[in-house]
């Protein structure tokens, strides 16, 4: 039997091979950072407390009219921590935070009302309880904040010539705070950010009692108007919301 090689040679190449299977390319997966969860962190920075003293009473007698004693900016450093919770809906981030700082803000000026006396203000601590509203671009979060703030203050009258403290007072005052910040996640649970806050502390009376030449009674009453500007750097550790995969 003779083979018909001409018929075999005329067949299309690959006719005996199975059809190639088609496979769809895998979907691209991108990671979406979720800011939801509790966080705990540390912060450090600096602040300036603007304080203006106005005398309203001297040795129990009302000062009429009230006498301005001058202003000074108490500047220095702060260090502390914060604890908060955030939850994210789409790109919007909502949060609450408690923040506390030890402070060393101090400054003074010669009184323009009491000759030979220098007035000094020192801020020892600052605390905040605020709400946040932010917008996230994946691992970058920008937010605004607002709420209540408290400062712990010490006021002193100092004899300019001898540096002896002649009268003093302390107070804890409440006010309002507004601020804004930017935070960036650099690891799955870690973030770093910068923040600016302005605190409206209002005008409160400070009752100074004599300390020299001997402790005694009322020395004077001054209305002290206070505003604080604060800048800080934060590092936070978050636990809670995971990184979400989006197709």
């Amino acid at each position: 039997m003779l083979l018909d090689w001409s018929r075999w040679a005329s067949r299309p190449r690959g006719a005996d091979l199975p059809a190639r299977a088609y496979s769809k390319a895998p979907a691209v997966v991108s990671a979406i950072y979720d800011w939801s969860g509790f966080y705990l962190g540390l912060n450090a920075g600096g602040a300036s407390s603007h304080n203006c003293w106005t005398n309203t009473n001297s040795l129990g007698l009302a000062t009429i009219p009230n006498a301005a004693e001058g202003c000074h900016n108490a500047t220095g450093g702060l260090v502390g921590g914060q604890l908060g919770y955030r939850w994210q809906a789409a790109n919007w981030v909502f949060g609450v935070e408690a923040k506390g700082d030890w402070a060393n803000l101090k400054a003074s000026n010669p009184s323009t009302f009491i000759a030979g006396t220098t007035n000094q203000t020192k801020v020892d601590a600052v605390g905040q309880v605020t709400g946040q509203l932010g917008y996230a671009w994946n691992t970058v979060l920008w937010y605004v904040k607002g709420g209540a703030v408290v400062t712990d203050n010490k006021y002193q009258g100092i004899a300019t010539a001898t540096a002896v403290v002649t009268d003093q007072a302390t107070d804890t005052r409440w006010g309002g705070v507004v601020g804004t910040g930017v935070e960036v996640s650099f690891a799955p649970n870690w973030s770093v950010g910068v923040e600016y806050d302005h605190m409206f502390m209002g005008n409160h009376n400070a009752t100074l009692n004599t300390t020299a030449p001997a402790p005694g009674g009322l020395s004077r009453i001054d209305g002290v108007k206070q505003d604080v500007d604060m800048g800080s750097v934060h590092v936070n550790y978050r636990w809670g919301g995971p990184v979400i995969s989006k197709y």
Side-chain angles (χ1 to χ4, degrees):
M1 179 178 178
L2 297 177
L3 295 176
D4 189 349
W5 292 101
S6 60
R7 290 182 59 188
W8 179 88
S10 63
R11 294 181 62 186
R13 299 298 183 182
D16 296 327
L17 299 178
R20 179 178 299 176
Y22 173 77
S23 61
K24 184 179 180 181
V28 177
V29 180
S30 59
I32 301 298
Y33 189 84
D34 186 358
W35 289 89
S36 300
F38 289 95
Y39 63 90
L40 178 68
L42 299 174
N43 74 81
S48 176
S49 174
H50 184 66
N51 309 278
C52 292
W53 293 36
T54 301
N55 185 272
T56 61
N57 188 295
S58 294
L59 300 175
L61 299 176
T63 303
I64 303 175
N66 295 342
E69 296 199 48
C71 302
H72 49 258
N73 293 317
T75 59
L78 307 101
V79 62
Q82 59 277 345
L83 172 67
Y85 180 77
R86 291 176 175 141
W87 61 98
Q88 183 169 347
N91 293 91
W92 294 100
V93 180
F94 309 88
V96 291
E97 181 182 87
K99 177 180 177 182
D101 288 277
W102 292 277
N104 185 28
L105 315 181
K106 184 168 65 174
S108 60
N109 70 276
S111 172
T112 58
F113 176 65
I114 304 174
T117 295
T118 296
N119 293 331
Q120 177 179 277
T121 303
K122 186 174 186 295
V123 182
D124 294 314
V126 179
Q128 303 180 35
V129 179
T130 57
Q132 295 181 356
L133 172 62
Y135 191 87
W137 293 269
N138 202 4
T139 57
V140 178
L141 172 66
W142 168 74
Y143 61 88
V144 293
K145 58 182 285 189
V149 61
V150 59
T151 59
D152 186 65
N153 311 283
K154 185 174 185 178
Y155 312 100
Q156 291 184 328
I158 303 170
T160 305
T162 63
V164 173
V165 177
T166 57
D167 57 8
Q168 65 182 15
T170 60
D171 76 5
T172 299
R173 65 170 67 186
W174 287 87
V177 58
V178 294
T180 185
V182 175
E183 198 164 329
V184 179
S185 172
F186 61 89
N189 295 92
W190 291 92
S191 60
V192 62
V194 294
E195 183 177 289
Y196 164 77
D197 301 314
H198 181 77
M199 307 169 197
F200 306 87
M201 305 310 299
N203 193 337
H204 292 243
N205 286 333
T207 301
L208 289 84
N209 293 311
T210 59
T211 58
L218 174 66
S219 170
R220 55 182 165 145
I221 299 174
D222 270 68
V224 181
K225 186 178 185 299
Q226 182 184 57
D227 292 284
V228 182
D229 291 287
M230 175 178 172
S232 57
V233 177
H234 299 196
V235 177
N236 289 328
Y237 178 80
R238 179 186 58 82
W239 66 97
V243 174
I244 299 174
S245 296
K246 182 178 180 181
Y247 292 84

